Amino acid sequence: MKRRILFVLIAVVVCVGAAMCFTSYVPVTDTAGIADVLVLRVHAGDTSEDITKQADTDAIRELLPQIRARRLPSYHRAISADCYQIQVVYGGKTVCFSLGEPSYAYEVTESMSPWVHKLSGGEKLLALLDEQ
């Protein structure tokens, strides 16, 4: 009887852990916690231009909580196509959103890791940036 209870508890813990790994999360949950916004247009991973002054940062702040990220990170080496990068200071940390193909997010740290979290739900934000 004790073994059955133990197996059931282990199964529950494994299922909950697996469910947490495969569900997505919101990297920026509220607009009030965003301290700073920097918007860059990156050209083929080589050069970038700061377009923060041309971008509607208020609209960007409103759309960021709609973006979801996978919990499990994936390996990504470099930016290979044109994209937009949005860097926000949120909760004392710098979070970078790369919107394009592929779209992903990562936390900016001193030891930059090639592990990123793939994004979904950034279509409205990408369309907003393309208009400007």
Side-chain angles (χ1 to χ4, degrees), residues 17 23 79 97-98:
T23 58
I79 300 168
F97 295 87
S98 180

Side-chain angles (χ1 to χ4, degrees), residues 3-53:
R3 280 188 156 176
R4 286 184 185 166
I5 293 173
L6 181 63
F7 287 132
V8 168
L9 288 175
I10 290 172
V12 167
V13 168
V14 168
C15 288
V16 168
M20 287 187 65
C21 287
F22 293 111
T23 58
S24 58
Y25 72 101
V26 180
V28 175
T29 56
D30 66 342
T31 59
I34 300 173
D36 194 22
V37 176
L38 173 69
V39 183
L40 302 171
R41 181 179 289 134
V42 181
H43 303 284
D46 293 331
T47 60
S48 65
E49 62 180 300
D50 185 351
I51 61 167
T52 306
K53 291 183 181 177

Side-chain angles (χ1 to χ4, degrees), residues 50-110:
D50 185 351
I51 61 167
T52 306
K53 291 183 181 177
Q54 294 92 355
D56 184 358
T57 55
D58 292 332
I60 291 170
R61 288 174 194 260
E62 294 298 320
L63 291 172
L64 281 175
Q66 296 177 11
I67 296 176
R68 302 191 61 79
R70 290 184 188 167
R71 286 199 189 274
L72 287 177
S74 59
Y75 187 79
H76 186 71
R77 290 194 99 157
I79 300 168
S80 59
D82 291 349
C83 68
Y84 295 99
Q85 282 195 348
I86 301 171
Q87 293 181 5
V88 296
V89 177
Y90 179 75
K93 298 177 182 178
T94 302
V95 180
C96 183
F97 295 87
S98 180
L99 299 171
E101 244 343 284
S103 293
Y104 55 88
Y106 59 92
E107 187 178 317
V108 178
T109 61
E110 289 180 16

